[in-house]
Amino acid sequence: MSEAPRDPIKPANWLQSVNCAIEGILWTARTQRHMRWHFLAALAVLLFAHCLGLSALEFILLAFAVTLVLFAELVNTALEVVVDLVSPGYHPLAKQAKDVAAGAVLVASIGAVVMGFFALSRYILPVLGGQLDQLGRPPGEFPVISVLITTIVVVLLKALFGRGTPLHGGLPSGHAAVSFAIATAIILSGVGALLSLLTLALAVMVSHSRLLLGIHSAGEVVAGGALGVAMTLLVYLLM
């Protein structure tokens, strides 16, 4: 006879719930190398921010970014454990579940980097930003937003056309799009003719390398470059 299903074990009170949560965090830090790196990075960033004397709003921004990454890593680990429990062997859906969870951590990490940049740029890039104006735009805002928007559009288009992988093939070429977005942002920043030409040449070489490696067709590379230029010009006009 099969055993009757047991009731799920639940904490008896609030204190036990907190202890279970702490045990989960400790287990994740003990078994997951990425979680340990996230904790070390969070410690370094917060100490660095304290030494810089950030404003309350900037410190809140950094604290939220740190919390977001740690939360995503905890959820990712929990999902991986559940997937391994349900599907010990290989299964395509199990792989997809783990990939999506890992993607959540990647998105959270990118968001944390962007928030950290906006919070710290006026302190670590004083030459570009001028005086420390707490209410002004942070230095480097334009190229960062341009590259982010270009990357998002590339991901959406790759998902729409369904060809290639995120870093290999497909329409449009992500490398060409990002490289030309960066080049266009640098040119529009008024760095001079020589640096503009060198930056443009670098974008062309990055794009051409995708052709030499046989990863993209000429049309995909041209489409990526045009997309990077168009998105950067759009952001420039809007800002």
Side-chain angles (χ1 to χ4, degrees):
M1 296 178 61
S2 60
E3 295 183 0
R6 299 179 180 179
D7 294 332
I9 301 175
K10 296 183 179 180
N13 50 51
W14 176 82
L15 183 59
Q16 286 190 7
S17 298
V18 173
N19 287 333
C20 289
I22 294 175
E23 288 178 4
I25 296 173
L26 293 177
W27 182 87
T28 304
R30 185 170 58 251
T31 59
Q32 305 298 315
R33 178 168 52 91
H34 289 165
M35 191 63 170
R36 294 194 292 272
W37 281 112
H38 288 321
F39 272 120
L40 290 175
L43 178 63
V45 167
L46 293 178
L47 289 176
F48 182 62
H50 177 70
C51 294
L52 288 177
L54 268 63
S55 66
L57 180 60
E58 290 164 338
F59 197 84
I60 290 172
L61 191 65
L62 277 182
F64 177 75
V66 168
T67 304
L68 181 65
V69 174
L70 295 178
F71 171 78
E73 186 63 46
L74 286 169
V75 173
N76 176 47
T77 301
L79 194 145
E80 286 185 347
V81 172
V82 172
V83 169
D84 290 339
L85 174 65
V86 176
S87 178
Y90 175 79
H91 193 283
L93 292 179
K95 177 183 181 302
Q96 292 297 333
K98 290 187 176 183
D99 288 346
V100 172
V105 178
L106 179 60
V107 170
S109 300
I110 294 174
V113 171
V114 173
M115 285 189 284
F117 172 80
F118 286 139
L120 298 175
S121 60
R122 65 181 76 254
Y123 296 94
I124 61 179
L125 300 174
V127 177
L128 295 177
Q131 296 180 351
L132 300 182
D133 181 9
Q134 298 297 322
L135 298 178
R137 290 181 178 273
E141 179 188 23
F142 165 55
V144 170
I145 293 179
S146 300
V147 171
L148 283 175
I149 291 178
T150 300
T151 303
I152 292 172
V153 174
V154 167
V155 171
L156 292 176
L157 290 176
K158 282 181 177 287
L160 175 65
F161 291 109
R163 296 206 309 256
T165 62
L167 297 177
H168 194 284
L171 180 68
S173 168
H175 287 75
V178 172
S179 61
F180 270 93
I182 296 173
T184 306
I186 293 176
I187 293 172
L188 292 175
S189 65
V191 295
L194 179 59
L195 287 179
S196 297
L197 288 175
L198 291 175
T199 305
L200 185 60
L202 183 61
V204 171
M205 287 189 290
V206 170
S207 303
H208 187 240
S209 68
R210 312 306 286 174
L211 290 174
L212 295 179
L213 294 173
I215 296 175
H216 286 284
S217 66
E220 292 170 346
V221 170
V222 171
L227 176 66
V229 173
M231 290 296 100
T232 306
L233 288 175
L234 177 62
V235 174
Y236 179 78
L237 293 175
L238 292 176
M239 295 180 62

